């Protein structure tokens, strides 16, 4: 089976992890700060807080922004459940905004309409979480304008998008958001096995996220209620969790960061090749927005169902039978049983639901050979004929 995504691990990556295993620190040593510096430097942001997953990063981001009971967080239904669950961890409520049928990212028009209604009803969101689906930035400039107008804060879920750019700057620089979150799960652009990171330009948000990710405990006298009792002293000043990244993970991440641009270039080459070679098939191919340069985490095709005899389900299973590891990103979150139990139902977000009926992700990753990619293309030609 050709998977839809796969990590790329070099001998240098392995050696770096082994070196940490032989060192004094497996956690809370010098490597995590180095990794954070590498990420912060790459995206040109003053603070990067490394944690054990993007899910944790989303949680500490919501905590830092003060999300709590009675507050609302809005996101897109076409995302992984974690983009919405982070609000529930904070005992806040979740709502969704339908997608743009072209880019499949959160629709700015739908967002504006919903904000107007929410403003009248006195139910404006505290946080909006745009997700850069497949690695292409959402329309952040307009979302940030709406944020100023309606007074919400912004967390970019850039789990797919490290290495991508928006309006000439790397995603993660937080020019149009308060916080940006990255994932380093093995299918993503770079990996630390499990891992994630939150970037911000705001000193105070960085401090709060660090506290939330490590028990709410600090050794920094500046954050304490009184001078330290002695050299042993630390204080718990907030309720936090243990979301720390290990030194092993950071060592892997530090190595992977060196190849990030190579990874994105390799993904881009493969995306361009798909876009050239699939153009004759009854498919809608990814649409690139002006100003956004995708990191190409996913290559999502959408079937033109009116031009194909087979059903979406059959095309999917025939491709799997042909050894092509297609996948579907994502099942609309509002249709998950857990969210239906809150009152969401079929028909709530028609563009997201229409997307779900015809989308699939085909294999794309740096190690995908031309021969393997040709097999994917041939299988698609065969199944769609
Ligand atoms: C992968 C992913 C996450 C969760 O990342 P983890 O590091 O696995 O916690 C969150 N949001 C999106 C959009 C993702 O793709």
């Amino acid at each position: 089976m050709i998977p839809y995504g796969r990590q790329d691990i070099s001998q240098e990556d392995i050696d770096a992890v082994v070196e940490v295993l032989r060192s004094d620190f497996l956690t809370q040593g010098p490597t995590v700060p180095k990794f954070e510096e590498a990420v912060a430097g790459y995206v040109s942001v003053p603070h990067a807080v490394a944690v054990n997953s993007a899910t944790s990063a989303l949680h500490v981001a919501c905590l830092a922004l003060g999300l709590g009971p009675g507050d609302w967080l809005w996101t897109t239904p076409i995302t992984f459940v974690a983009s919405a669950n982070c609000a529930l961890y904070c005992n806040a409520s979740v709502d969704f905004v339908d997608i743009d049928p072209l880019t499949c990212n959160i629709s700015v028009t739908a967002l504006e309409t919903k904000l107007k209604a929410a403003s009248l009803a006195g139910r404006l969101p505290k946080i909006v979480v745009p997700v850069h689906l497949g690695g292409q930035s959402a329309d952040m400039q307009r979302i940030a304008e709406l944020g100023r107008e309606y007074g919400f804060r912004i967390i970019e879920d850039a789990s797919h998008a490290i290495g991508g750019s928006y309006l000439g700057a790397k995603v993660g620089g937080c020019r149009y958001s308060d916080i940006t979150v990255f994932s380093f799960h093995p299918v993503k652009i770079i990996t630390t096995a499990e891992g994630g990171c939150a970037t911000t330009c705001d000193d105070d948000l960085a401090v709060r996220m660090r506290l939330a990710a490590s028990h709410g405990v600090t050794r920094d006298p500046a954050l304490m209620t009184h001078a330290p009792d002695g050299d042993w002293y630390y204080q718990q000043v907030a309720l936090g969790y243990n979301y720390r990244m290990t030194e092993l993970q950071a060592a892997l991440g530090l190595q992977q960061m060196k190849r990030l641009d190579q990874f994105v270039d390799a993904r881009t080459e493969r995306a361009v090749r798909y876009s050239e070679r699939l153009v004759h098939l009854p498919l809608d191919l990814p649409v690139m927005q002006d100003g956004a340069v995708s990191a190409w985490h996913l290559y999502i095709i959408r079937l033109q169902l009116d031009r194909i005899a087979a059903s979406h389900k059959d095309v999917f299973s025939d491709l799997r039978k042909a050894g092509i590891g297609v996948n579907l990103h994502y099942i609309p979150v509002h249709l998950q049983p857990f969210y239906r139990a809150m009152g969401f139902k079929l028909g709530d977000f028609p563009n997201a639901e229409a997307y779900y009926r015809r989308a699939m992700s085909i294999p794309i990753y740096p190690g995908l050979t031309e021969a393997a990619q040709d097999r994917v293309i041939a299988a698609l030609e065969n199944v769609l004929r």
Side-chain angles (χ1 to χ4, degrees):
M1 183 83 79
I2 302 170
Y4 82 88
R6 192 180 196 287
Q7 70 274 15
D8 185 314
I9 302 295
S10 68
Q11 188 58 49
E12 282 83 6
D13 294 352
I14 295 166
D15 293 346
V17 174
V18 171
E19 196 177 314
V20 167
L21 278 171
R22 295 189 205 282
S23 79
D24 292 335
F25 297 100
L26 302 186
T27 185
Q28 295 175 283
T31 319
V32 169
K34 277 190 206 155
F35 176 59
E36 291 177 336
E37 265 173 47
V39 173
Y42 182 87
V43 303
S44 300
V45 79
H47 307 284
V49 179
V51 288
N52 59 3
S53 71
T55 304
S56 302
L58 285 163
H59 187 189
V60 298
C62 288
L63 289 169
L65 290 170
L67 191 73
D71 293 331
W72 288 85
L73 175 148
W74 292 3
T75 188
T76 159
I78 299 301
T79 184
F80 186 57
V81 292
S83 319
N85 287 345
C86 56
L88 306 180
Y89 299 154
C90 301
N91 298 308
S93 307
V94 176
D95 204 349
F96 300 94
V97 178
D98 209 352
I99 61 166
D100 176 305
L102 225 54
T103 63
C104 308
N105 276 325
I106 192 168
S107 158
V108 177
T109 336
L111 177 60
E112 190 166 9
T113 308
K114 197 177 175 97
L115 285 166
K116 278 185 186 143
S119 178
L120 293 173
R123 246 184 53 168
L124 282 168
K126 182 160 196 162
I127 297 176
V128 171
V129 180
V131 178
H132 305 325
L133 187 70
Q136 173 174 228
S137 177
D139 191 352
M140 292 310 302
Q141 200 170 36
R142 287 188 60 204
I143 295 169
E145 281 166 17
L146 290 171
R148 280 189 293 276
E149 193 178 339
Y150 289 94
F152 59 81
R153 313 294 292 269
I154 301 170
I155 302 172
E156 292 175 69
D157 185 343
S159 291
H160 301 179
I162 196 167
S165 309
Y166 176 71
L167 299 182
K170 291 286 184 214
V171 169
C174 299
R175 265 208 283 173
Y176 303 101
S177 64
D178 296 285
I179 295 168
T180 302
V181 165
F182 294 126
S183 171
F184 309 126
H185 182 279
V187 294
K188 308 288 165 77
I189 309 280
I190 62 163
T191 190
T192 61
E194 296 283 358
C197 183
T199 62
T200 185
C201 298
D202 185 312
D203 299 349
D204 185 48
L205 289 179
V207 167
R208 289 181 201 223
M209 290 195 289
R210 273 190 204 290
L211 280 173
S214 194
H215 308 284
V217 158
T218 183
R219 289 182 177 276
D220 179 357
L223 299 177
M224 293 182 188
T225 54
H226 57 79
D229 294 351
D231 288 345
W232 65 85
Y233 197 64
Y234 58 84
Q235 271 190 353
Q236 182 185 349
V237 296
L239 181 62
Y241 301 81
N242 183 350
Y243 285 165
R244 291 190 297 257
M245 176 179 274
T246 67
E247 292 284 289
L248 285 80
Q249 290 167 301
L252 178 54
L254 201 51
Q255 286 298 318
Q256 291 259 304
M257 277 303 291
K258 295 182 186 167
R259 290 192 289 148
L260 171 54
D261 285 338
Q262 254 170 273
F263 288 159
V264 173
D265 288 349
R267 287 174 174 277
T268 305
E269 271 175 37
R270 283 149 186 78
V272 168
R273 200 155 175 271
Y274 272 139
S275 293
E276 285 166 4
R277 287 165 201 237
L278 298 176
V279 73
H280 63 291
L281 293 175
L283 298 172
D284 288 329
L285 302 178
V287 175
M288 292 299 106
Q289 247 181 299
D290 283 350
V293 180
S294 182
W296 289 110
H297 164 54
L298 300 173
Y299 193 94
I300 300 171
I301 59 173
R302 284 166 294 154
L303 307 185
Q304 294 175 351
L305 291 171
D306 50 346
R307 294 179 59 199
I308 302 168
S311 69
H312 180 234
K313 206 170 164 177
D314 290 343
V315 170
F316 194 97
S317 66
D318 287 351
L319 287 168
R320 282 266 177 103
K321 273 180 223 148
I324 313 299
V326 284
N327 220 304
L328 209 170
H329 302 94
Y330 292 91
I331 303 159
V333 178
H334 70 285
L335 298 181
Q336 294 290 353
F338 188 79
Y339 280 88
R340 283 186 194 245
M342 292 172 202
F344 294 106
K345 59 189 185 307
L346 198 68
D348 283 349
F349 304 101
N351 291 343
E353 292 161 16
Y355 166 94
Y356 175 58
R357 285 193 291 270
R358 65 192 192 99
M360 65 184 72
S361 308
I362 60 176
I364 189 165
Y365 51 93
L368 180 72
T369 62
E370 274 198 7
Q373 191 176 19
D374 288 342
R375 271 180 58 202
V376 177
I377 295 164
L380 276 164
E381 282 170 342
N382 191 36
V383 170
L384 297 174
R385 184 175 294 137

